[in-house]
Amino acid sequence: MRILIVNPNTTASMTVTIEAAARRVAGDSTVIEAVTSSMGPASIEGYYDEALAVPGLLKEISQGEREGADAAIIACFDDTGLDAARAMSSIPVIGICEAALATVSFIAQRFTVVTTTQRSRVPIEALVRRYGAEGRAKVRAADIPVLSLEDPLSGATEKLRAQMASALEEDGAEAIVLGCAGMADLAARLQDEFGVPVVDGVGAAVKQAEALVALGLSTSKRGAYAFPAPKVYTGLLAGFGIG
Amino acid sequence: MRILIVNPNTTASMTVTIEAAARRVAGDSTVIEAVTSSMGPASIEGYYDEALAVPGLLKEISQGEREGADAAIIACFDDTGLDAARAMSSIPVIGICEAALATVSFIAQRFTVVTTTQRSRVPIEALVRRYGAEGRAKVRAADIPVLSLEDPLSGATEKLRAQMASALEEDGAEAIVLGCAGMADLAARLQDEFGVPVVDGVGAAVKQAEALVALGLSTSKRGAYAFPAPKVYTGLLAGFGIG
Amino acid sequence: MRILIVNPNTTASMTVTIEAAARRVAGDSTVIEAVTSSMGPASIEGYYDEALAVPGLLKEISQGEREGADAAIIACFDDTGLDAARAMSSIPVIGICEAALATVSFIAQRFTVVTTTQRSRVPIEALVRRYGAEGRAKVRAADIPVLSLEDPLSGATEKLRAQMASALEEDGAEAIVLGCAGMADLAARLQDEFGVPVVDGVGAAVKQAEALVALGLSTSKRGAYAFPAPKVYTGLLAGFGIG
Amino acid sequence: MRILIVNPNTTASMTVTIEAAARRVAGDSTVIEAVTSSMGPASIEGYYDEALAVPGLLKEISQGEREGADAAIIACFDDTGLDAARAMSSIPVIGICEAALATVSFIAQRFTVVTTTQRSRVPIEALVRRYGAEGRAKVRAADIPVLSLEDPLSGATEKLRAQMASALEEDGAEAIVLGCAGMADLAARLQDEFGVPVVDGVGAAVKQAEALVALGLSTSKRGAYAFPAPKVYTGLLAGFGIG
Amino acid sequence: MRILIVNPNTTASMTVTIEAAARRVAGDSTVIEAVTSSMGPASIEGYYDEALAVPGLLKEISQGEREGADAAIIACFDDTGLDAARAMSSIPVIGICEAALATVSFIAQRFTVVTTTQRSRVPIEALVRRYGAEGRAKVRAADIPVLSLEDPLSGATEKLRAQMASALEEDGAEAIVLGCAGMADLAARLQDEFGVPVVDGVGAAVKQAEALVALGLSTSKRGAYAFPAPKVYTGLLAGFGIG
Amino acid sequence: MRILIVNPNTTASMTVTIEAAARRVAGDSTVIEAVTSSMGPASIEGYYDEALAVPGLLKEISQGEREGADAAIIACFDDTGLDAARAMSSIPVIGICEAALATVSFIAQRFTVVTTTQRSRVPIEALVRRYGAEGRAKVRAADIPVLSLEDPLSGATEKLRAQMASALEEDGAEAIVLGCAGMADLAARLQDEFGVPVVDGVGAAVKQAEALVALGLSTSKRGAYAFPAPKVYTGLLAGFGIG
């Protein structure tokens, strides 16, 4: 089983973190292929970055599917481009936010998502509502730029810890969801420290992708995710091979 | 007052229809500038087309703002790219779906949106929920390709009429919302025929844009729509001038 | 275009404030006619005052329509009597709460309504839910009597400012809605002071009324807003001319 | 224990029906006092009638309280004037819609309200949502004028039966709620005929009123139902004695 | 009229408290029969205790119905076993949480439930949602074991008072609901102390049971509460007499 | 990895079906241990059967955990006893309804659950709401007793197919969820026949259980799922070893 993980920002070092987290939890017969988008923002912080990340992301998923991937994962907690990718693909496509929320729902009644920037808080609250976790989940931002997670001197992890502590004390959280792909390497350590389940979306998405493939399930092609109708696509985006 | 209307698909003849509908309702001192995106799908039918229309759309809005537009309208009923455009801009940005839903809510308690294709039904249902009209609105698809609206021999208008009739009879609709920018020229005629209010999103959005400008209001730059953080944007998308 | 604005309380000095705010934003060809109800409470603070304001309000709207008004506005943030007025009228009728919520929704994802008294907080929360802004909006009361807004020595504006500051800090508000018609003159100044959009319902309602008239739209007479059935109305209320 | 029941329309024959239904279920020590409003519409069908019924209704409740009533019931299924009456009174005030929905919720998971006219359907759907029964309840209109219920030759009861049958077959209803005070005499007979629970709001409200009095509970005077602030009420409404 | 009240925990002293509270509010012609379950946990604190209390509870209700009870009450605020009991019985069955929420809804727009342990908070929040009071109610836990309510030296009542005070100050509560059957004797005293309505579920349920019996209403046997289908029940649970 | 699957009804032949379905999708290193409850109903159809199945179910999960299971699955689509089992256990516990809904949500926007009896429809609708799929899912009953699924001559599968066809045509379903553990062997065949994804909860739960174990996640012991407090459990249920 080959699972493609696309880091939809263009920062290759973050892809390394993501790939390592994915491999730690992947099954023995699963091949993880992590790629960095070649087109778009260096990090995804808010609606604008989300939008600009989509074409590069779709290109990678389209190519990965042609090269034989059995499932694809979008490794950004905003689940950017998810619906478009599903409509375009025959293989299952998983977002790390939806995977994390589905996973934490099996082990906690109340939980808090801790993400990076305030720009991302409201979009993630919209995802919480979309995925039906409204009333169970709160979203907090640690006020840290995404890329600061890669800099041990930035204090980012300490700010993340502070929000986790507040989540437990003030939100009644029973578990924590890490709300950024760049936090994928921290889950196990923070789970040990805080003594509550800590869910990383990258790992969660790998297991959901494996599950769908093993169950013989893929995106329905009836209704909202039907293949795009044939039509002319103009400009630089035309090269995806579907239009 | 200058209002930019972007047709985010690449079909210039549809822009003509949109521009005419906008001018019919614009105030005396309003200048309507309608542009056709140069990049993306020929029509927007579903998630994939939506996603591929965004970069071209953002480019037009960004350029329009630099050239002095006071407000911008996204003339696609999926409100594609709306949040990204708002985050990027200082001027107000209006989607035609949100404008239509806001407008019809002043004149009817129950209404039905009639859109083109089944691929668009579920995305519009999500917008209905996002904009708080859940429980008041139903969404129907007339099963007509968007561009067939331009062909008088396609039978598209008849299929639209049939869905309107069903909406009144089966849904208890008190008003109809036309769920595609390409239907903008039909509202007045259908309102006369059916004897209930028929709302076109293009016209509605023009008035909302005029309203915001007159009220001295623009997108909040605090929170979800804060300007994007400075960062590197790689590839062909880099030319937008913000990153 | 003639727009009737009814102040449903009996305090004429508040009508002056309302009328001025309306004229500031009205289009060149719009005639604003503001009237004070002759029957009812001196200010509307809570459910009881709302109910007693309705007959006088309906009388003014009924008379205004007969005299040629193209649209009517109910200038009380509780939107009192709105549904009854719509059922009774051929012309569009707009409440200032619904107009303010519709308007702010185009420019902010999260916002706070600041109203006058605690008696009004829960009724406005019900309107927030009715108009579909639940989850986006919070409501705060500044604990000031409505009429104290007219007394510069009352400290009312300072209490309002304090709640606005708390809204930004504690609620994550991206914009503020002024939750009383008597605050209509404060919006521009407070917007400048706080650096976030501040929406006044009176101005918002004027633009919505203009929009509906320009779009050729009026209240649907099918369903919930059908004209009242002919019947006997007994007592002093019988003089409205419909029953 | 004295329970005041106000028929807020001016049709005294309907008060007779209501009073009889109330007495059938009242406890031995309960005195039922039913009064007909002297001011307002002959029947309440939709928003306009609702609004015009309120002053006469409030007057009766205010007088009843002064004369020693322990609780008051508003015998119109739209629960018109309920919040104003509560704010004005020290005694508990019950609406027959809220009483019926509370009662049926103890004996069925899914139910249908059958009301009279289409004008009343949407207002009752709003009450269903307000009282938290959304998702459990459907509302149907039998398309019968309220007063036709008093005319055995009108065919009204047959139309009501037809909607009940459809509710059981199409809605999955497990119980029926009669959605008009004028149907209060039909509940027992229809329950026998259809073999499912049939709830009448008048009877239900009597028992809720008795319950509150027995439990020593009355409307909270903290928050939304605080007594109205002292102020000037102008015009014919001024005689209620509170302002 | 005979009303059976089952204390589904095995602590007989708590049944004494419950029975006294029930008798204080019961009608003259009502016979209260309170029984203690013989099987299950000594107190019900959270999901596990709830589940283990159900068989003993069902056994008592089944026996009570055979012996002529007209209605049954489950005297645990988690409403444990309620749906099963309804499906099994011909007589009405009432939970004290649903009775309390229905009752408080007639007298307050916003209220807070104060329960015992954190383990019970989330289950009660789920009941609040089930019964449609979401948005009106908050739930607080006083962090007191259920049985400590019986020990005057435990400080339990003081902790309860502290949460009530916080509910009024921080939650905007207009009334308080006591969230444990073991608090049934405290309602009147706390109502006097705090000057807001305080609702006890045991008393509320007695009045709801009396109401249903007087109204001639019982659980619908159509749909979700249809009698169980005949089948084999194995093991010690088989003795209930239905299977 | 050892996964315990408990069939909470007492019909061993259904356990055979369940176990086979589980093994078909389990990973190479997963050991599936399926057990039949020794106490409770022969099939679970509605609330009463659900309740009576819980003690036997908890006993099996408790024993399985002591014997080294890494995760447990409750193989009844009502997810009966799920919360109690989680509170009692250190290992993850998964319900097949929640697993099926989580799984189908990755591949379809709209779907229909087809279950067996009308008694189960409303309880499953409550689960749909609990798990946040309200608005995406419909529930249909094929009106077949659970055990008829084991009898090829019963016509049960044909009735199931008829409901699936209606779901696609009338509900706009993009995928089907089989709403009974006894249908676990039918998923692959029906998926081929109907050309849309068909999700079986048993298989889905196996993959979710594997996922949680691989991710190092288990039920949070903070909050709602904290271990039960030590106390006396009386009667035959006392033998579970926790109380």
Side-chain angles (χ1 to χ4, degrees), chain F residues 57-76:
Chain F
L57 165 74
L58 295 181
K59 191 176 156 199
E60 295 297 340
I61 292 179
S62 177
Q63 180 173 331
E65 184 179 358
R66 280 196 305 272
E67 295 175 2
D70 294 296
I73 290 169
I74 299 173
C76 169

Side-chain angles (χ1 to χ4, degrees), chain F residues 42-128:
Chain F
S43 62
I44 298 180
E45 295 167 324
Y47 297 122
Y48 180 75
D49 294 349
E50 274 189 52
L52 292 198
V54 171
L57 165 74
L58 295 181
K59 191 176 156 199
E60 295 297 340
I61 292 179
S62 177
Q63 180 173 331
E65 184 179 358
R66 280 196 305 272
E67 295 175 2
D70 294 296
I73 290 169
I74 299 173
C76 169
F77 206 82
D78 294 337
D79 286 0
T80 188
L82 178 61
D83 287 322
R86 278 189 183 142
M88 178 187 79
S89 306
S90 297
I91 58 175
V93 184
I94 308 283
I96 65 171
C97 175
E98 60 172 357
L101 296 190
T103 299
V104 75
S105 294
F106 293 116
I107 55 175
Q109 289 268 8
R110 299 286 180 270
F111 55 91
T112 293
V113 178
V114 185
T115 188
T116 52
T117 72
Q118 291 296 342
R119 269 181 201 83
S120 299
R121 195 174 50 77
V122 170
I124 292 174
E125 286 174 353
L127 292 181
V128 162

Side-chain angles (χ1 to χ4, degrees), chain B residues 182-193:
Chain B
M183 300 171 180
D185 53 339
L186 303 173
R189 199 188 329 156
L190 292 170
Q191 178 163 302
D192 285 347
E193 272 180 50

Side-chain angles (χ1 to χ4, degrees), chain E residues 48 52, chain F residues 59 62 66 88 233 237-243:
Chain E
Y48 180 75
L52 290 197
Chain F
K59 191 176 156 199
S62 177
R66 280 196 305 272
M88 178 187 79
Y233 293 85
L237 303 164
F240 284 14
I242 286 192

Side-chain angles (χ1 to χ4, degrees), chain E residues 20-73:
Chain E
R23 291 200 168 143
R24 263 195 300 278
V25 302
D28 290 344
S29 58
T30 301
V31 178
I32 298 291
E33 296 172 337
V35 300
T36 308
S37 179
S38 61
M39 195 162 59
S43 62
I44 298 181
E45 296 167 323
Y47 295 123
Y48 180 75
D49 294 349
E50 273 188 53
L52 290 197
V54 172
L57 165 74
L58 295 181
K59 191 176 158 199
E60 295 297 340
I61 292 180
S62 176
Q63 180 172 330
E65 184 179 358
R66 279 197 306 272
E67 295 175 3
D70 294 297
I73 290 170

Side-chain angles (χ1 to χ4, degrees), chain E residues 40 49 119 227 231 233-234, chain F residues 40 45 49 119 227 231 233:
Chain E
D49 294 349
R119 271 180 200 83
F227 283 119
K231 67 185 57 167
Y233 293 85
T234 303
Chain F
E45 295 167 324
D49 294 349
R119 269 181 201 83
F227 284 118
K231 70 184 56 166
Y233 293 85

